[in-house]
Amino acid sequence: FIVQYKILDAAKYLFKVKDPDGTVRDAAEASLRQIIGAHGIDDALTAGKAIIQDETQTRLQEILDSYDTGITVVAVQLQDVHPPDAVVHAFKDVASAKEDKQRFINEAQGYRNNIIPAARGEAARMKLDAEAYAARRVEMADGEATRFLRLYAEYKKAKPVTRQRLYLEAMEEILPRRKKFIVPENTVSLLNLGSMGEILKSVEKTQGGGR
């Protein structure tokens, strides 16, 4: 580390202390050891340097003032900070673990930032699909209700014919593309009707008294 200082009182600097520069050096080392001992090693290795420098400067100034050296400390700067050689590998492992931890946190936050908007977009899409489906169902229900009312009006006018037509239409839907045979009551003959139009004509003739 580096200590920068100025001489405020030349007489005190020259005559009060035998070795002013050596005194500053020894006092600076003692101050730094005291302050470092009060902090964790991580502070000295990372963002705590500024605090250690300020506290060391304050403590060094107190010692120099007690010696009446006539010196004022301008700055204390840590330059090259390393853990002891015996534990340097352990510190590297710890630093690597901290880097991995921060990387995992960043990756998790990135995943969170990606997945939440995607989930919100998917939820909005599903909501729109549901609303569209509900609207279609309502329209279909309205259409079915209207068709039923019209059919009911026709049914009231001609109940037998309408009932027979509904039955034939149901058979046409249940058995599409199949040839149908209608067997009139009280007879053994078969009437082969190939289309719905022919079936309806036959029903109308039967209801009207025709053969």
Side-chain angles (χ1 to χ4, degrees):
F1 68 102
I2 293 176
V3 175
Q4 297 176 348
Y5 63 92
K6 293 191 301 184
I7 301 171
L8 295 183
D9 190 325
K12 291 181 179 182
Y13 179 81
L14 292 174
F15 301 111
K16 288 285 186 177
V17 183
K18 181 178 181 181
D19 183 8
D21 293 338
T23 300
V24 171
R25 182 181 298 105
D26 293 340
E29 290 182 359
S31 300
L32 183 59
R33 291 178 186 276
Q34 180 181 357
I35 300 303
I36 285 287
H39 289 270
I41 186 62
D42 289 339
D43 293 338
L45 293 172
T46 57
K49 286 184 178 181
I51 297 175
I52 292 175
Q53 290 173 168
D54 292 342
E55 292 181 358
T56 301
Q57 180 178 345
T58 300
R59 180 55 183 154
L60 175 57
Q61 188 64 60
E62 292 173 353
I63 295 175
L64 295 178
D65 290 345
S66 68
Y67 293 160
D68 201 17
T69 58
I71 294 173
T72 182
V73 180
V74 176
V76 173
Q77 295 179 346
L78 295 174
Q79 286 191 309
D80 195 10
V81 182
H82 295 289
D85 293 339
V87 294
V88 65
H89 294 295
F91 270 91
K92 289 182 179 179
D93 291 340
V94 171
S96 177
K98 289 181 177 180
E99 291 177 358
D100 290 340
K101 174 186 175 182
Q102 189 60 45
R103 178 172 57 83
F104 292 147
I105 291 174
N106 294 337
E107 290 177 355
Q109 290 177 343
Y111 176 76
R112 174 181 179 274
N113 294 336
N114 289 333
I115 199 65
I116 288 180
R120 288 175 177 169
E122 181 66 14
R125 184 189 64 78
M126 293 175 65
K127 181 180 179 181
L128 292 176
D129 290 345
E131 291 174 349
Y133 176 76
R136 290 195 302 270
R137 294 298 298 176
V138 170
E139 292 177 357
M140 290 175 61
D142 290 340
E144 290 292 327
T146 301
R147 188 181 69 84
F148 177 81
L149 292 176
R150 291 177 180 174
L151 185 60
Y152 179 67
E154 295 178 5
Y155 177 75
K156 289 193 297 183
K157 295 177 182 178
K159 293 183 179 180
V161 175
T162 305
R163 184 166 48 247
Q164 189 70 16
R165 182 167 64 85
L166 291 175
Y167 171 76
L168 295 175
E169 288 177 352
M171 290 299 100
E172 182 71 16
E173 183 177 352
I174 294 172
L175 301 172
R177 297 185 299 276
R178 295 290 186 274
K179 185 177 293 186
K180 286 86 175 173
F181 296 90
I182 293 181
V183 181
E185 294 181 0
N186 302 322
T187 182
V188 295
S189 62
L190 298 179
L191 177 61
N192 180 8
L193 301 178
S195 67
M196 181 58 65
E198 295 176 348
I199 294 175
L200 293 177
K201 289 179 181 178
S202 176
V203 172
E204 290 172 357
K205 289 181 180 179
T206 302
Q207 298 294 335
R211 293 185 179 180

